[in-house]
Amino acid sequence: EVELLESGGGFVQPGGSLRLSCAASGFSIGNFAMSWVRQTPGKGLEWVSSISATGERTYYTETVKGRFTISRDNSKNTVELEMNSLKDDDTALYYCAKEPVLYYYDNWVDPWGQGTQVTVSS
Amino acid sequence: QSVVTQPPSASATPGQTVTISCSGSSSNVGSNYVYWYQQIPGTAPKLVIFRNNQRPSGVPDRFTGSKIGNSASLAISGLRSEDEAAYYCAAWDDTLKGRVFGGGTKLTVL
């Protein structure tokens, strides 16, 4: 069964850092791009970042560029999201999700993990 | 606000057909595929329609996607209590060069 399990969320003060991890099972992530999508009650679902299958291309939504870094270790079947200079607006449930092809483009994401909560507050 | 808009809520009784709309622009819905996700409370989103009108294996044929111009729709026929969920449309946006989601529609089965 294809599964994704996120970890690393928590409570952090503005300006702080967190590192999220996504462990995949049931498939090899090396054949697929991977993405992070976040969800808040007020703003709904928002795509955050994606990384191509081999890691040579990374993509970010404008609001996190320069603060977040996505990476992957295909040998460990994991994807990570390093989040720095966190702001209140980054508070959300962060989902890891699988893209169906090598690169992030006009496609769907499925499946999604269960999410890890990030709360940024003073 | 999202560049792709959905009504915040919809409701219908069991057995009826409900249609959820998704309105965008020529840079997203009008020129790219539309995807639909179902999110049952407390769970992660699940893909129910891809490439405008294709159903993943395991999704009942009661779920039908369609698109005309800058608008798309998800129709659910023979409504069942287990269909009660939030439904989100998504599309690639050529201007933003990224995936955009609608704000979601909460479906209540009365």
Side-chain angles (χ1 to χ4, degrees), chain B:
Chain B
Q1 291 92 350
S2 176
V3 297
V4 178
T5 59
Q6 300 179 236
S9 63
S11 63
T13 56
Q16 285 189 323
T17 296
V18 67
T19 301
I20 298 170
S21 62
C22 172
S23 179
S25 69
S26 58
S27 69
N28 44 65
V29 173
S31 55
N32 296 299
Y33 289 120
V34 175
Y35 306 89
W36 289 92
Y37 298 88
Q38 175 195 62
Q39 187 176 32
I40 294 169
T43 70
K46 169 193 164 187
L47 181 73
V48 292
I49 294 289
F50 66 100
R51 292 184 179 169
N52 299 336
N53 55 20
Q54 303 299 300
R55 277 186 306 275
S57 62
V59 174
D61 59 7
R62 301 185 295 105
F63 290 79
T64 304
S66 63
K67 190 182 90 167
I68 298 178
N70 295 337
S71 294
S73 296
L74 173 69
I76 310 172
S77 61
L79 205 59
R80 304 169 76 157
S81 58
E82 59 257 39
D83 299 330
E84 187 162 287
Y87 291 85
Y88 296 88
C89 62
W92 182 266
D93 189 286
D94 293 328
T95 302
L96 298 174
K97 292 186 172 52
R99 175 180 293 123
V100 291
F101 290 92
T105 298
K106 183 178 179 182
L107 172 63
T108 301
V109 180
L110 301 170

Side-chain angles (χ1 to χ4, degrees), chain A residues 35 37 39-40 43-47 50 59 93 95 99-101 104-115, chain B residues 31-35 37 39 42-47 49-51 56 88 91-92 94 97-103:
Chain A
S35 293
V37 179
Q39 183 172 32
T40 61
K43 293 171 66 177
L45 293 170
E46 180 187 25
W47 167 75
S50 300
Y59 315 83
L93 183 63
Y95 291 103
E99 303 275 342
V101 294
Y104 168 63
Y105 189 49
D106 182 6
N107 269 304
W108 61 93
V109 278
D110 191 68
W112 303 48
Q114 286 305 301
Chain B
S31 55
N32 296 299
Y33 289 120
V34 175
Y35 306 89
Y37 298 88
Q39 187 176 32
T43 70
K46 169 193 164 187
L47 181 73
I49 294 289
F50 66 100
R51 292 184 179 169
Y88 296 88
W92 182 266
D94 293 328
K97 292 186 172 52
R99 175 180 293 123
V100 291
F101 290 92

Side-chain angles (χ1 to χ4, degrees), chain A residues 62-97:
Chain A
E62 278 299 321
T63 56
V64 309
K65 278 183 183 176
R67 300 189 299 121
F68 289 12
T69 302
I70 190 171
S71 61
R72 63 192 296 154
D73 187 333
N74 289 345
S75 67
K76 294 181 179 178
N77 233 26
T78 58
V79 180
E80 294 192 332
L81 186 68
E82 178 79 26
M83 305 187 297
N84 298 315
S85 303
L86 282 162
K87 306 176 181 179
D88 290 356
D89 282 352
D90 295 319
T91 294
L93 183 63
Y94 284 74
Y95 291 103
C96 172

Side-chain angles (χ1 to χ4, degrees), chain A residues 8-40:
Chain A
F11 187 96
V12 63
Q13 292 187 331
S17 299
L18 278 177
R19 189 176 188 91
L20 306 184
S21 184
C22 170
S25 59
F27 74 105
S28 172
I29 69 167
N31 297 319
F32 304 98
M34 298 293 292
S35 293
W36 289 92
V37 179
R38 64 188 179 186
Q39 183 172 32
T40 61

